[in-house]
Amino acid sequence: MNILITGGLGFVGTQLSKRFLQRGYKVTIVDRSPEPRETTPAEVTYISGDTSLEGTWQDEVAAHDAVINLAGVSIFQRWNQETKKLIYDTRILTTKNVAAAMRQGKNAVLCSTSAVGYYGFHGDEVLTEEDPPGGDFLASLCVDWEREAQRAAEKGIRVVLTRFGIVLGKTGGALGQMIPAFKKFVGGPLGNGEQWFSWVHMEDLLRAFLFVLEEDTVQGPVNFCAPHPVRNRTLAETLGKLMSRPSFLKTPGWAIRLAFGEFGSVLLRGQRVVPKKLQNHGFEFQYPEIDMALQAVLQE
């Protein structure tokens, strides 16, 4: 299988390209950087390009059997009008360009990233792929993001909308920030810690991608998160216990909102999402419980 990954130099794309190569697939990465990273495998074909703009990079899209669309600037920053526009445009324009470049009637698959933020905020309610979207900025972004990806389905392409939970890995993401804080004895919950935290271990994320690529009956929205979401305080307590560090130093809600603006509400409210479609198709998680997942990350 020939696979193209947009945004392939990021936290997830780096690991995904290595896993695909191990599987014997050919991998092409398209990213903004002029050159690949030193850690990018030599077997990867690298194309430098701004995927939010039309360009010759689109010729490669039609030539591949699968496209993994990961491009978009990080949402983990302070939100203001400028950053929100950048977050939105890098995702929407890239996905629009990818879908436009896919060949009519080709036996191919598009796995386009979305997020569990699609569902908005519902307190303790358990959410599956069947639930409607929320109305906040992140939810609206996900709705538009997925709509652009679904344009490829109009060409007969199988489209899988991968709604990510928080990805747990040592080299980046949430734990890339939490682990150093706990090492310095200043780790703990965000706000009151009661908000739900829908997460997935990097290993299960990679395995889920392979699963949906190779299982051609899977299409539409798929929650890429573990079957047992936890409250934020449980995450902090478990991480503190495994690292032999205290976990009682709460970061006040006002401080989070001051630091992250509107994104602070996302961190303080969360959602309780489960992977109903993956499990219904027979996918088995290697790390279904948070203690198992955190222990594995800390041993990496």
Side-chain angles (χ1 to χ4, degrees):
M1 187 183 295
N2 296 324
I3 303 176
L4 182 141
I5 308 174
T6 65
L9 295 184
F11 175 47
V12 172
T14 297
Q15 299 300 320
L16 202 53
S17 59
K18 293 177 182 178
R19 184 59 55 90
F20 288 155
L21 290 171
Q22 292 171 2
R23 194 75 159 194
Y25 295 151
K26 295 181 179 179
V27 177
T28 298
I29 286 176
V30 183
D31 207 291
R32 292 187 177 204
S33 175
E35 300 289 339
R37 303 192 194 286
E38 292 183 1
T39 55
T40 303
E43 301 93 330
V44 167
T45 299
Y46 184 74
I47 298 172
S48 176
D50 184 347
T51 54
S52 67
L53 301 175
E54 296 179 349
T56 55
W57 65 269
Q58 289 175 286
D59 297 335
E60 293 294 327
V61 172
H64 285 74
D65 304 309
V67 177
I68 311 295
N69 181 30
L70 302 174
V73 302
S74 174
I75 67 169
F76 286 88
Q77 57 180 308
R78 180 177 175 79
W79 287 3
N80 53 38
Q81 290 306 309
E82 182 180 350
T83 56
K84 284 168 67 175
K85 185 177 188 304
L86 191 60
I87 288 167
Y88 185 91
D89 286 350
T90 53
R91 286 164 172 78
I92 303 305
L93 296 178
T94 290
T95 308
K96 179 180 180 179
N97 290 335
V98 167
M102 301 199 79
R103 187 180 303 160
Q104 180 78 37
K106 181 178 174 62
N107 182 21
V109 56
L110 168 61
C111 292
S112 191
T113 311
S114 183
V116 296
Y118 170 93
Y119 303 103
F121 310 119
H122 293 267
D124 293 340
E125 182 181 352
V126 177
L127 303 166
T128 74
E129 292 88 350
E130 299 167 1
D131 285 291
D136 61 291
F137 169 73
L138 185 54
S140 299
L141 166 64
C142 290
V143 168
D144 292 350
W145 199 1
E146 294 183 5
R147 182 185 297 118
E148 292 300 332
Q150 286 286 30
R151 296 186 190 282
E154 299 169 7
K155 298 181 176 182
I157 305 297
R158 179 166 66 95
V159 176
V160 182
L161 305 168
T162 57
R163 294 175 180 166
F164 283 20
I166 300 298
V167 183
L168 302 184
K170 199 166 188 177
T171 59
L175 290 185
Q177 300 180 43
M178 293 180 67
I179 290 175
F182 274 85
K183 285 183 177 179
K184 296 175 183 177
F185 294 86
V186 292
L190 301 179
N192 63 18
E194 292 299 305
Q195 69 273 35
W196 286 97
F197 185 86
S198 296
W199 59 275
V200 62
H201 188 282
M202 176 66 83
E203 176 62 24
D204 281 327
L205 184 83
L206 303 180
R207 292 174 59 248
F209 264 112
L210 285 170
F211 183 83
V212 300
L213 282 179
E214 297 170 355
E215 178 53 71
D216 59 12
T217 62
V218 180
Q219 60 184 338
V222 182
N223 293 334
F224 272 28
C225 56
H228 302 294
V230 296
R231 295 188 188 276
N232 182 263
R233 58 174 166 75
T234 301
L235 170 73
E237 290 168 358
T238 305
L239 186 58
K241 180 179 179 180
L242 291 171
M243 294 182 66
S244 300
R245 295 291 192 274
S247 59
F248 57 83
L249 292 176
K250 296 182 179 180
T251 304
W254 64 264
I256 293 171
R257 292 188 180 93
L258 182 64
F260 292 102
E262 188 179 337
F263 181 51
S265 294
V266 176
L267 296 173
L268 292 169
R269 299 182 72 180
Q271 48 277 127
R272 188 181 185 183
V273 181
V274 296
K276 182 178 180 180
K277 187 175 287 187
L278 273 177
Q279 291 186 305
N280 284 350
H281 279 84
F283 180 81
E284 295 184 3
F285 285 82
Q286 186 169 333
Y287 299 102
E289 304 286 350
I290 192 65
D291 55 345
M292 301 167 59
L294 292 176
Q295 182 72 57
V297 170
L298 292 171
Q299 290 177 345
E300 290 176 3

